[in-house]
């Protein structure tokens, strides 16, 4: 158990819908990263939050947004979903920027 | 940005064999990690190794930061070692960049 909790584990939804993925970092970790892994692909960086502030954006679509709340949990919002958004979405947490990262179990999103 | 390469892309072994996986990176890093993604999709931390050598059971890793590469050694492989092995690096002030992975299949 990495200590990073992601919910839900699985999500099936229709095209055009909106979903919210949730991540609770390890206790005391201030940094949260979101990654997307499409089928048989590598991990693509989406966005990074540190102590509630957005610190970096990767190739995140405009239809996607995220935030980190005062209790340090983070949510990734995906809207106007397309078939191509089907993927594993991971979050990771670190105590400080760039230190050892621990990943959650991921949310497997299927858009039908 | 920093580029990360891994080799070989695919590896098939018989149970009990040894293997070496390589990760090359294009710039100085302040963090390097190895992960194992099992067939269920979970990413499992193997090593946090920005430099030096570490061992954990049948696995060991070495990072030579000055030459910009890291090696992951798997000895006496087991079927449960199957999956994809990723290295990920952090360049100072940047975010984790993952390599494309090495897909390992260990046959009984």
């Amino acid at each position: 158990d990495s200590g990073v909790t992601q919910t839900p584990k699985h999500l099936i939804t229709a095209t055009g819908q909106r979903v919210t993925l949730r991540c609770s970092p390890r206790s005391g970790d201030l940094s949260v990263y979101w990654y997307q892994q499409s089928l048989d692909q590598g991990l693509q960086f989406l966005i990074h939050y540190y102590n509630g502030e957005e610190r970096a954006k990767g190739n995140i679509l405009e239809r996607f947004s995220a935030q980190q709340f005062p209790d340090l949990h983070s949510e990734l919002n995906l809207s106007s979903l397309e078939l191509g958004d089907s993927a594993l979405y991971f979050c990771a947490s670190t105590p400080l920027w760039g230190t050892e990262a621990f990943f959650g179990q991921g949310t497997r999103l299927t858009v039908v | 940005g920093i580029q990360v390469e891994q080799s070989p892309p695919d590896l098939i072994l018989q149970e009990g064999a040894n293997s070496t996986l390589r990760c090359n990176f294009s710039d100085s890093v302040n963090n390097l990690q190895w992960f194992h993604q099992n067939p269920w999709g979970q990413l499992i931390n193997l090593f946090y190794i920005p430099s030096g050598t570490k061992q954990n059971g049948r696995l060991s890793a070495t990072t030579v930061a000055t030459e910009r590469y890291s090696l992951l050694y798997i000895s006496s492989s087991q079927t449960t070692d199957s999956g994809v092995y990723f290295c990920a690096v952090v360049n100072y002030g940047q975010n984790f960049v993952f390599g494309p992975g090495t897909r390992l299949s260990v046959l009984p």
Side-chain angles (χ1 to χ4, degrees):
Chain A
D1 183 3
S2 68
V4 179
T5 303
Q6 289 188 247
T7 57
K9 288 188 173 55
H10 302 276
L11 195 50
I12 301 175
T13 189
T15 54
Q17 296 298 303
R18 172 188 170 93
V19 297
T20 297
L21 312 184
R22 181 186 171 104
C23 171
S24 294
R26 294 189 317 154
S27 177
D29 284 0
L30 300 178
S31 266
V32 171
Y33 303 80
W34 286 96
Y35 283 82
Q36 179 193 55
Q37 185 180 33
S38 301
L39 187 63
D40 288 335
Q41 298 293 310
L43 284 98
Q44 301 299 317
F45 169 65
L46 295 178
I47 199 162
H48 169 218
Y49 279 85
Y50 179 81
N51 202 20
E53 293 187 9
E54 180 187 306
R55 287 301 179 97
K57 269 187 176 180
N59 294 325
I60 187 168
L61 299 172
E62 286 190 11
R63 300 183 286 108
F64 296 1
S65 64
Q67 54 185 324
Q68 186 179 27
F69 294 86
D71 66 352
L72 300 177
H73 90 272
S74 179
E75 294 181 355
L76 179 66
N77 301 295
L78 315 176
S79 61
S80 303
L81 284 166
E82 303 175 359
L83 296 178
D85 297 328
S86 297
L88 257 176
Y89 291 84
F90 288 101
C91 79
S93 76
T94 67
L96 297 171
W97 198 340
T99 53
E100 185 173 9
F102 292 85
F103 279 75
Q105 290 187 313
T107 293
R108 188 175 296 276
L109 173 67
T110 303
V111 182
V112 298
Chain B
I2 194 167
Q3 305 295 315
V4 182
E5 299 175 346
Q6 290 186 243
S7 59
D10 296 279
L11 190 55
I12 300 175
L13 301 173
Q14 286 295 135
E15 204 167 22
N18 303 328
S19 60
T20 301
L21 283 57
R22 187 176 179 103
C23 173
N24 292 331
F25 43 97
S26 62
D27 205 347
S28 301
V29 298
N30 69 324
N31 181 6
L32 186 146
Q33 289 187 242
W34 283 96
F35 297 91
H36 173 215
Q37 187 169 37
N38 63 23
W40 295 271
Q42 289 180 295
L43 276 170
I44 299 162
N45 283 37
L46 296 179
F47 294 101
Y48 169 69
I49 186 167
S51 64
T53 297
K54 290 187 177 180
Q55 180 155 8
N56 184 4
R58 297 181 296 103
L59 274 60
S60 64
T62 294
T63 297
V64 183
T66 53
E67 297 187 21
R68 300 180 184 167
Y69 73 89
S70 183
L71 302 174
L72 177 68
Y73 305 95
I74 305 174
S75 65
S76 304
S77 57
Q78 301 175 356
T79 55
T80 52
D81 295 331
S82 296
V84 183
Y85 289 79
F86 291 103
C87 75
V89 302
V90 178
N91 193 1
Y92 296 94
Q94 303 300 313
N95 297 291
F96 289 91
V97 177
F98 279 78
T102 291
R103 184 175 298 276
L104 175 65
S105 300
V106 181
L107 306 178

